[in-house]
Amino acid sequence: MTEERSLSVSEAMQRAKGALESVRLTVVGEVSEFSDKPGYKAAYFTISDAGASMPCLMWRDIYEAAGTPLRCGMQVEITGFFTAYAPKGRMQFQVRRLQPAGEGRLRMQVAEIARKLQAEGLMAPERKRALPAFPDKIAVVTSPRGKAVHDVLRTLRRRYPLAEVLLAGVAVEGENAPAAIAEGMAVAAQAGPDVILLVRGGGSYEDLLPFSSEIVARAVATSPVPVVTGIGHEPDTSIADMVADLRASTPTAAAESVAPAVEELANTLRRERRALGRALAHRVQAAAHRVQRIAERPAFADPRTLLGTAFQTLDLLGARLNRAIPESLRRDRERMERVKAKLVAVGPRISERAQSVVALQAARLDNLSPLKILGRGYAAAFGADGHTVVRSVGQVNVGERIVVKVSDGQIGCSVNDVVVEER
């Protein structure tokens, strides 16, 4: 029998490392420790169950590509192989693939839907609508066979029997539940209620998942009337709760939020009636006092109180006008007499001066008149038309007829000859 050669520690660790890395496994467990310090080339964590713990490492690029941030208490499913860290003689599991496991995966999916709807503004507080104070119609969308529908109907009948209750029975669990709930919301809205209750009783996280589906959340957000949710119990919160106009902790609380108690309503009406009666009596009393004060004013006792001053003013102005018009006419008459006397005195002097100017101009015109010249023995020759003045012998020819004007008439003549005289 051949004796096997002894190995060094390094060789032994290398053989163990090779043997471990040849086996690929998928393991499910809960993250119990997690270390992700800046600058590390890998993320280090430990997963465990009730009986064992397993140290793990995941290289930085693979961890970031997985897109699943780790935290303690998280259920994960990892795939990889065991390896050995020779310098420390430590065995660890090198993770090549990571994803949430079981409920953890579902919670990640729900969180992704919630982030998407929140980015669209469907969870914004400003889009939440106020509930009607006294609804006439209340629609309930829930399972017709669950405990929740009986709790809601019992609460509405006890607190607010005046309202008409409409029930849209839908499946609230299972694969087809989200589509059924969305359809029930649409049918309920078509019936014209004042408010819609979307409710169901308690259950596991998986049981309540239909109310965190995107189709149900959008049906709640786009409802034409306010929506109140009462899903599960106090700790349970679904995406439908986040986008609803009001989230109640239970179905019973949802019914109470939309139904004012009849006793409370009666007490409120009594208080309002008393307050209204007191306010009305006070207002009537104040109005009567005001009317009395107005009636006591002098203007209503004697109307002349308002017009007396105006009447006196008219009388005063009339008297002043009667005195002013005759006086003004007298002064105008006297002014006209003075102007007339001045015109009579000045008129002859103005006319004498004008007559002298006219006589002087007439004498000058007389001296310049051609008739005056003719009267001194001169004559003027005109052409045969009797208008063209003959100023030169060149204007007439022998045998032509001309007209000679003298002081007392004109003479028709014929030209016998033409003689040009030199000057």
Side-chain angles (χ1 to χ4, degrees):
M1 179 175 179
T2 304
E3 183 178 349
E4 187 176 355
R5 182 179 66 85
S6 299
L7 301 175
S8 66
V9 175
S10 297
E11 290 174 335
M13 289 301 298
Q14 287 297 324
R15 287 193 181 186
K17 187 174 185 297
L20 290 172
E21 292 179 354
S22 64
V23 180
R24 179 174 291 268
L25 301 173
T26 297
V27 183
V28 176
E30 179 181 325
V31 178
S32 57
E33 296 179 4
F34 176 63
S35 176
D36 182 22
K37 296 182 180 180
Y40 276 21
K41 302 299 182 182
Y44 299 94
F45 59 97
T46 301
I47 64 172
S48 59
D49 57 17
S53 297
M54 185 173 71
C56 304
L57 73 86
M58 192 172 187
W59 297 116
R60 172 69 55 187
D61 56 343
I62 300 176
Y63 174 65
E64 292 179 351
T68 304
L70 293 175
R71 65 181 184 277
C72 292
M74 182 178 179
Q75 289 285 333
V76 293
E77 180 182 281
I78 57 176
T79 299
F81 49 85
F82 284 103
T83 185
Y85 181 54
K88 295 292 184 180
R90 181 184 303 162
M91 184 186 72
Q92 54 194 1
F93 192 80
Q94 186 174 132
V95 180
R96 306 296 295 176
R97 185 169 62 86
L98 166 69
Q99 65 180 6
E103 184 176 313
R105 181 188 304 175
L106 296 177
R107 290 185 183 274
M108 293 287 289
Q109 294 173 352
V110 169
E112 181 63 28
I113 296 174
R115 284 193 295 269
K116 176 182 177 181
L117 298 182
Q118 185 175 23
E120 295 179 16
L122 299 186
M123 301 178 187
E126 56 269 18
R127 64 168 295 276
K128 307 289 185 178
R129 294 164 291 188
L131 303 182
F134 305 105
D136 293 327
K137 285 185 180 181
I138 301 174
V140 182
V141 180
T142 187
S143 170
R145 293 181 295 275
K147 182 176 180 293
V149 66
H150 299 290
D151 293 341
V152 169
L153 294 178
R154 185 165 48 251
T155 302
L156 293 178
R157 184 166 54 248
R158 171 176 53 85
R159 289 177 58 88
Y160 193 59
L162 304 177
E164 177 184 358
V165 180
L166 310 174
L167 176 62
V170 298
V172 295
E173 292 184 20
E175 182 179 353
N176 299 324
I181 295 171
E183 183 180 0
M185 290 290 298
V187 171
Q190 291 175 0
D194 299 304
V195 65
I196 296 176
L197 300 182
L198 178 61
V199 298
R200 73 147 287 164
S204 66
Y205 185 80
E206 289 81 0
D207 293 338
L208 302 180
L209 275 180
F211 295 90
S212 291
S213 64
E214 184 173 352
I215 184 174
V216 172
R218 293 192 180 278
V220 172
T222 58
S223 171
V225 298
V227 178
V228 177
T229 56
I231 301 168
H233 301 298
E234 178 65 36
D236 301 320
T237 301
S238 65
I239 297 180
D241 292 322
M242 300 177 187
V243 301
D245 297 285
L246 178 67
R247 183 251 178 184
S249 58
T250 62
T252 300
E256 291 176 347
S257 67
V258 300
V262 175
E263 297 80 5
E264 296 176 4
L265 182 58
N267 293 333
T268 301
L269 290 176
R270 281 193 291 270
R271 289 194 301 270
E272 294 295 331
R273 182 179 61 189
R274 288 194 296 268
L276 184 60
R278 288 193 298 268
L280 184 59
H282 176 72
R283 186 159 187 177
V284 170
Q285 183 179 1
H289 179 64
R290 185 179 178 188
V291 169
Q292 183 179 358
R293 290 179 57 192
I294 293 174
E296 292 173 353
R297 292 180 181 178
F300 291 95
D302 184 2
R304 286 170 295 185
T305 303
L306 292 176
L307 303 176
T309 302
F311 287 160
Q312 293 180 17
T313 302
L314 286 175
D315 291 341
L316 178 61
L317 293 177
R320 291 175 60 185
L321 189 61
N322 290 333
R323 291 194 303 270
I325 291 177
E327 182 66 21
S328 178
L329 292 176
R330 184 187 62 78
R331 288 196 298 268
D332 291 343
R333 191 179 300 109
E334 292 177 354
R335 189 162 47 251
M336 288 180 62
E337 291 296 333
R338 289 195 297 269
V339 172
K340 179 180 178 182
K342 289 181 180 180
L343 288 176
V344 170
V346 176
R349 292 196 299 272
I350 295 175
S351 62
E352 287 175 2
R353 191 161 47 248
Q355 288 174 0
S356 298
V357 173
V358 171
L360 180 60
Q361 297 297 331
R364 293 180 65 184
L365 287 175
D366 185 61
N367 291 333
L368 296 175
S369 174
L371 297 178
K372 191 75 171 178
I373 297 173
L374 294 178
R376 292 199 296 268
Y378 291 94
F382 295 88
D385 57 3
H387 300 290
T388 305
V389 179
V390 179
R391 294 183 174 85
S392 171
V393 295
Q395 290 182 252
V396 298
N397 298 313
V398 176
E400 286 186 0
R401 182 176 177 77
I402 62 174
V403 176
V404 179
K405 289 187 178 182
V406 293
S407 61
D408 57 353
Q410 60 185 23
I411 303 170
C413 303
S414 296
V415 179
N416 294 328
D417 57 6
V418 177
V419 178
V420 179
E421 295 182 355
E422 296 181 0
R423 296 181 181 179

